[in-house]
Amino acid sequence: TLHRHLSTSSSSGGIERMTVFGAGLMGAGIAQVGAQNGLKVILSDVTDQALQNGLQIITKSLGRVAKKKAPDDIEGFTREIMANIETTTDSAKAVEEADLVVEAIIESLKVKRDLFGFLDTKAKEKCIFATNTSSLSVTEIAESCGQSRQANFAGLHFFNPVPAMKLVEIIRTPHTSDSTYEALRAVTTRMGKAPVTCKDTPGFIVNRLLVPYMLEAIRMIERGDATPEDIDQAMELGAGYPMGPFKLLDFVGLDTTAYISSGWREKAAQGQISEELVRPIPILDEMVKQGRLGRKSGKGFYDVS
Ligand code: CAA
Ligand code: NAD
C-alpha cells in the first residue's frame, strides 16, 4: 500500500513544502527527516555532483533507519521516502512553491546573504526562511532580505548526525514574528525533533557550551596534562558523554571548529563572548593547515576511515 511507511501528522504550521539549500552532511539530513515525516522536499545545490552526493548520504542513512523500522522491506521503505524528495540546481525554481526554505550551505556570511537576497525576490511572500548556521549572526544573514521577509526569518539549527540527534534550536532575531516562530516549532516537532529557543547570540545554546569545552580539551593536550585517549575515556565513562571531546572534534571537523572559534574572536572584541574562551590554539591551526580535519579527511586526532 502507498505511504505505508510515512508518518502522517496533522499540524505543521501550514508548512507542507520545504526547500533545502546545500546537499552536504547537514542539508541531506534535514531533507531526509522532512521527507520521512511526509513533507514534500526539494533539495538544491550548485552542482549535480553535490546533489548526487546528498542523495547518497540519504540512501545510506535510510538504510539504517529501515533496518529498524521496516526490516522486511528496506527497499520499499527507502523508495517511498525518496519519492518525497526532488532535486534541482535551479535555485529560483526550487523556491517557487516553498512554504519553508532551510539553508545549509557553506558557513560564509557573504555567500549566505547572496543566496537569501536572491531567494527573497523569488519565493512566495509568506514563505519562511531559515538558516542552519552554526556560528554566524542570524540577524546579519536576515538583513539581506526585505523587511517583511525579516519577520519570516529565523535560525533553525540542527545537529550532526541530523537523523539521530533529536534537538533543534530555533533562533529568534529581534524581527522574527510570533507566527513564524510557532510555525517553526510545529514543523520541527512534526519532523520528530525537540525544539528549544534561544536569542541570536554566538553559538546559541549547544555550541556556546560545546565549542569552549572542545577547545579546552585541546589546551589540555597542548600542556601535556593527559592523552586524547585518556581524556575521551574520562568524559565518556566519568561524565556520560557518548563521545569524548577528541572523537567529537574529529566528528564535527577540525576546520569547522577552528572556523567557529576564529569567527567568535571578532565577537569577543565586541564583548559578546569572553576572549579567553576563544584564544588561538597553535595545535589546532597546525592540524588544519596539514589537512588533518577529522573524519572527513580520514585523519584528525585519530585515524578514522
Ligand atoms: N542516520 C540514521 N540513523 C543514525 C545515524 C545516521 N547517520 N547515525 C546514528 N543513527 C542512529 C542509529 O541507527 C541508532 O539508532 P537506535 O538507537 O534507534 O538503534 C542511534 O542513532 C545510535 O547510533 P549507534 O548505535 O550506531 O552509535 P552510537 O550509540 O555510538 O551513537 C551517535 C552515534 C548518535 C553519533 C553518538 O555517538 C552521539 O550522540 N555522538 C555525539 C554527537 C554530537 O554531539 N553531535 C553534535 C555535534 S555539534 C553540532 O552538530 C553543532 C554544530 O553546529 C557543529
Ligand atoms: P557541507 O560542506 O557538507 O555541505 C555544504 C553544501 O553546500 C555543499 O554541497 C555545497 O556544494 C553547497 N553549497 C555551497 N554554496 C551553495 C549555494 N550558493 N547554493 C546551494 N548550495 C551551496 O557542509 P555542512 O557540514 O552540511 O554544513 C552546512 C551548514 O550547516 C553550515 O552553515 C554549517 O555551519 C552548519 N552546521 C554544520 C554542522 C556540522 O557538524 N557539520 C552542524 C550544525 C550546523
Side-chain angles (χ1 to χ4, degrees), residues 14-191:
I15 294 168
E16 292 299 330
R17 295 175 181 275
M18 172 172 76
T19 298
V20 179
F21 282 90
L25 207 57
M26 297 303 291
I30 296 164
Q32 178 188 329
V33 295
Q36 255 175 267
N37 292 286
L39 296 179
K40 293 285 171 211
V41 177
I42 296 179
L43 184 58
S44 187
D45 205 304
V46 282
T47 63
D48 284 321
Q49 199 190 343
L51 288 172
Q52 284 312 315
N53 176 49
L55 290 177
Q56 230 168 30
I57 296 172
I58 297 173
T59 309
K60 195 168 159 210
S61 173
L62 280 177
R64 293 178 71 158
V65 179
K67 261 193 210 150
K68 283 174 288 175
K69 289 201 171 168
D72 302 332
D73 187 17
I74 292 180
E75 219 175 279
F77 177 91
T78 305
R79 202 179 328 109
E80 198 172 298
I81 288 163
M82 293 303 268
N84 275 346
I85 305 177
E86 282 176 49
T87 57
T88 179
T89 53
D90 183 337
S91 44
K93 257 211 165 115
V95 296
E96 258 171 11
E97 292 184 45
D99 304 313
L100 168 66
V101 166
V102 181
E103 168 275 312
I105 67 169
I106 53 169
E107 187 77 340
S108 151
L109 182 61
K110 184 186 179 311
V111 181
K112 287 185 194 290
R113 286 179 57 111
D114 284 351
L115 177 65
F116 278 119
F118 174 74
L119 297 179
D120 192 24
T121 64
K122 304 291 176 194
K124 292 187 296 195
E125 204 185 319
K126 285 222 154 108
C127 178
I128 294 175
F129 283 8
T131 174
N132 185 51
T133 182
S134 299
S135 62
L136 300 169
S137 156
V138 177
T139 312
E140 284 175 28
I141 299 172
E143 279 165 357
S144 59
C145 296
Q147 253 175 5
S148 77
R149 185 79 62 189
Q150 286 185 44
N152 297 350
F153 203 117
L156 206 56
H157 189 217
F158 291 86
F159 293 82
N160 179 20
V162 179
M165 303 304 282
K166 288 279 285 184
L167 187 72
V168 65
E169 292 172 330
I170 304 179
I171 296 97
R172 300 188 71 155
T173 77
H175 310 291
T176 308
S177 70
D178 289 345
S179 63
T180 295
Y181 172 68
E182 290 306 333
L184 290 174
R185 276 192 79 89
V187 76
T188 51
T189 303
R190 174 171 173 185
M191 286 161 85

Side-chain angles (χ1 to χ4, degrees), residues 2-27:
L2 209 59
H3 301 318
R4 157 167 72 114
H5 299 302
L6 293 173
S7 338
T8 44
S9 172
S10 43
S11 167
S12 56
I15 294 168
E16 292 299 330
R17 295 175 181 275
M18 172 172 76
T19 298
V20 179
F21 282 90
L25 207 57
M26 297 303 291

